[in-house]
Each structure stands twice: as C-alpha cells, then as structure tokens.
Amino acid sequence: MKSMILLCSLLFSLIAFGQGKHTLSIADINRAALKQLEPEKYVDSVDKLLAELQVNGNFYPKDTLLFYLKTYKEYVWKYPRLEDRKHNYYINIGNNVSAQGNLGEAIYFFEKADREYEKYYKKKPDFVLMKLCYLHTQSKNFQKAIDAYEKELPRLTASPAAIKNGSLQGKDVLLLMYILNPIASSYIFLKDTANTNKTIDLARNILNAVHKESKVGRDDLAIMKFMYYGMQYYRDQYLLSNVKDRINTIDSIRSLIADESVAEHLKATFDNNLTEWLINHFIAVKHIDSARYYLNKFKTMPSATAPKNELQLQVKRHELQIWSLENEGSAILPVVNELLQLSDTINQSLTNQMNDMMYAYTKAEFTEDELKKTELEKQKRTLIIIIVSLASIFSILAIYMRMRNRTKKTQKQIAALNHLTNLKIASMEASKQEAVRSEQERLAQELHDNFSSTLAALKHQTEHIYNSAADIDLKQKIEQVQFGLQHIYASLRNTSHQWFFDARIQQQSSFDETIRFLLDSALPDEHYKKHIQIDANAVLLLSLDDRINILRIIQEAITNVIKHSKANEISVFLMATHTELMLQISDNGIGFNTEKGRPVYGIGLQSIEKRVTLLKGKLEILNEEGIVLNIIINKKELAYFTPSNILV
C-alpha cells in the first residue's frame, strides 16, 4: 500500500505549480525587499520561488527557511490586504519539511494553514485537506486521516454534481482524487471493506462526471485514472483477494501506459508502481518466476516515489517472500508474511510515536513552551525506537538464518536418500541380474517338468520289460538300468529344486540388504535406532515391480522421519501369514498434523497411497505416539503366488 500513498507527493509536485527554473534565491528576494519592493510583489515572488524549488527537488533546512521567511511573515501579518496569505506562510514551511520526511512537523504546519484559511475564507481548503490526509496516512495514523476526511464527506460526496454543472473545474477536480487516494489506503489498511467501496465508488463518479468543459488537462485525467485503478488494485489485493478483478485492473493500467496521449514522465511513474504491484500479485498467486522477473526489473528502475532506504527495504521484503516460496513452498510463506506484518505493526507504532513527538516538539518550539521537556522526551523515544528496531531486525535475521540452514540440511539428506534409492533400484532393475535369475528358475523348472517326467516314463517301461522277460541275465541287466535311472531321476529332481530355491533365496537376501542399506545411509546409527525384520517367505512372493514399490514406500517413510516427525527410532517389518503379506513401518516421532481429528495428507503420504494401490493392498495409518503404517496385501494379488511357481 505504501507505493500508492507515496505516489501522491510525486504526482502533486509534477502538476501543482508547473515546471520551470528560477535563478533567484530567497536571499535575493530579501535583499530586494530592502530596496522597497512592494509587499504584494515580494510575497508573490516568494510563493512562486518556493513552488519552483519544490518541483525541482530543492529544499531548505527548517531553521534556514524560517530565517528567510521573517520578512514574508512580517508583511502578511502586518498588512490587512495580505491577510489572505497567512495560510501560505504555513503551507510553504509544511511543504518544505514534509519533503524532507519530517511528517510530524509538516502535520503541525498544515493544521496551522488549515485554521488560517478557514478563519479568512470560512471554509476548508481542499489542498490542505489533501496534504493532511496524505501526511496522516504516510505516518500510518490512518484513523486521523479518516477523521479529517469524514468531516468534509458531505461536501465531497456532492462534488460529481458540481463537476457536471461546471462549478468545480481544473486542478480542483484533480485535488479531489488526491484526497480520495490516501483515504482509500487508510480504509484498506483498517480492513473496512464497506467504506473502501464507497470511496472507490465516489472516485468513479468523479471520473465519470468529467467532461470537455471541466478544464481537466490530458495529463491530469491520466493521473486521476491511474489513482482510481490503484485504489481498485489494492482493494482486490488486500481486502477481497479477488485475482480475476486484480488482473483486469492490471490490464487497465497497462492500457493507460500504452496510451500515446499520456506524457512519457507519467508513463515512467505509472510503470514503476505497476511493476511493484505485479511483484505483490505474483507472490500472492505463488508464481515464483514471474515475481522474480518483476523484482529484477524493479531493482533497475529509477524511482522518485520513495526515499532510497525505503525502496531497499521493500526489495528485501520481496526477496524474503520469494525465497520462502522457493525453499519451503507455500507452508512457510504465511510465517514470513506474519513476521513482516508484525514488523510493520511495530514500525507503525514507533512511527506514530515519533510523529506525535515531532508534532509536540514543533508546537512547543513555536510557542516557546516546555521546549526542554519535549527535547528530553524526543531523545528517550529516539533511543527506544533504535533499540526496538534493532531487536526486530536481529530477530527476523535470526529466524531467516535458522530456516535457511535447516532447509539446506534437510535438502541434503533427502537428496542423498533419493540418490541412494535410485542407485539401488537401478541395480535391482539391471537386466543381467534379472536374466540370470530368470534363466536359473527356467532351467530348474525345465529339469523338473521335462527331464524328470521322461526318466519316470523310462523307469516305468523298464519295469514292464523286466516283468515280461524270462531270461535271468536279461533281468539282471534290466535291474542295473532301473537302478541307474532311479539314481539319475533323484539327482535331477534334487538339482532342479536346489536351483529354483537358490534363485529365490538370493533374491530375498539382496532385497533385505537393500532395505538395510537405505536406512543406514539416510539415518546414521549415532542419531537413530533401527529395527529391521524381513521374512524370507514374504520376499519370495514379490515380483520385481512389487519390490520397487515397497522400496519407494520405505523411502517416503524415511523422508518423513528426516523432514517432519522428529523421530529417533524407526522399525520396518515385512512378514507373510497364511493368507496375507504385511508391511509395517513405524517411528516414535510427533505424528501427522491433524485437523478436526483427521490426518492432513501431504505429498509424501499421497505417494505411499498410490504405491499401495499398485500393490492392490490396503493402508492403515495409526497416529498415536508416532506414526504406524500398516500395509496388508492378499497373497492372491501377488505375481509369484501361483501353483505353477512352486516346485513339488
């Protein structure tokens, strides 16, 4: 919101008095007064000079200006015909000190100008009202700005009709928008949606009332439109969170900037503000690349809308918000925003105190009353401001560094775990190892199914020949053949069984070692206790795809231990019962976050559920004294649980 408020002073300085160079100084005019320059001409010359100095960014220290304005003050208070200039004396001082950031002093002088103007003209000056609304808003005294505005609200509400009938024209129309701009900011900051909408509606009615006879210049109309769009943008950003309307407003501003009739210096100012608004927009919708792009653009853009230190602070705030999105995602962004809001609240309170103190100091200085007491209070409050500001900065810095170190450490552990897991799975998927195992099982099955059955048939035939033979020598030879066949049959059968189960046992051993390697690599023994129990019969039921899915489930559980659970103990059990295969993973951490008694599902848990679905199993989650994941799979759903895979 700060950029919209600060825009007022820049645009006002560009249009309020016109632009131009002046070669005289106030000292020159004072010397002219000694030569009996007419009082009216002298006062007019000083007013014109100070206006041109303000446009060109030249200002005097307050004491110096007061010294130069002694003659000016003497004339306007001495001559009744110059009584209508008394308010200009305070306006000149107020403009000078506000441009140097002394807001409390500026408020005092503009209030003095307001009283002098009302005393003479019997009405409130819109220019002073605009300056007071702006200064109170800039000082974050939002309620004071609103109070000043609402006193004049009936008259301001009637202004669209006055524009239409021609009684309100030119710069006076533009001043109305300058009054509404900081007031909309104040209502938005106080989260008063109803009055924000009323203020924006009044701004729209003023714009719609402008016609050719209103004598509103082309540049002035562009400024009015831009401030109206700015009010809409900040309402949609901070009150309504309406992304669609916010985008429409941004498109309207872009069209205004692209309008060839708009002056180039105004386009530059509009584009500068739009760039910062786009940063806020893309941070809000979590488009990191777009936010980073516009932030880099913003850094290179010249700006006169705010002091350099405020711009640097704004850049750092955006960098912290973008960093939180890049490193921790949306989970940490609310924490960062809350810290920044807390810092703003503290700074707002301190700024209010400082401005109130400066107001009191200036009043005491001008009335020569209790000056020493105010000075002492100023020093005390300044010291408090410095201490609290430093404490806030160091607190935010400490939190930032802690989160950054934690993020780096966690990312390192997870990267190592992912790398090791991928290496192991790649190894398991190696075609040579799988081909060797498959070939060994095939040969074992071939020996069992083909050769053994053939030998059994031959054995049966020899028994038939033996029973039908009468020759004793022939029977003896047949007996020898039968004995050899029996020996070969038994040997082949034993060999086929040995080959088949050796392949399965090797598979089970490799899977068990892989699980242990994963846990040992990611969770060092000095920090974690690990319990692993793998049932060999359970592994024999798993295909390669099944084992990969189980490894991924274990990997996600390890990731949860590293990132979230704060556990120091983890258990992994894989076992087979008569009808089911069960995988249980548990830790002694803090468990899942819950809302209304139910677990809040993150990406890791969703990945586990997806793997369980691929295994055609059921997932049970227990969230007491840590996390327990129970995964139960019916044996009939497993690839290797078929009679054809079991040798008999």
Side-chain angles (χ1 to χ4, degrees), residues 592-600 623:
F592 287 116
N593 291 332
T594 59
E595 290 180 0
K596 299 181 180 179
R598 301 179 62 187
V600 178
N623 196 26

Side-chain angles (χ1 to χ4, degrees), residues 513-526:
E513 290 174 359
T514 299
I515 292 175
R516 293 181 185 278
F517 182 74
L518 273 181
L519 267 71
D520 290 342
S521 300
L523 307 173
D525 289 339
E526 59 267 25

Side-chain angles (χ1 to χ4, degrees), residues 66-84:
L66 291 175
F67 174 77
Y68 285 147
L69 290 180
K70 281 184 177 180
T71 304
Y72 185 105
K73 184 179 182 181
E74 178 184 346
Y75 282 172
V76 297
W77 262 264
K78 179 179 179 181
Y79 298 105
R81 64 182 183 276
L82 295 177
E83 188 177 358
D84 62 331

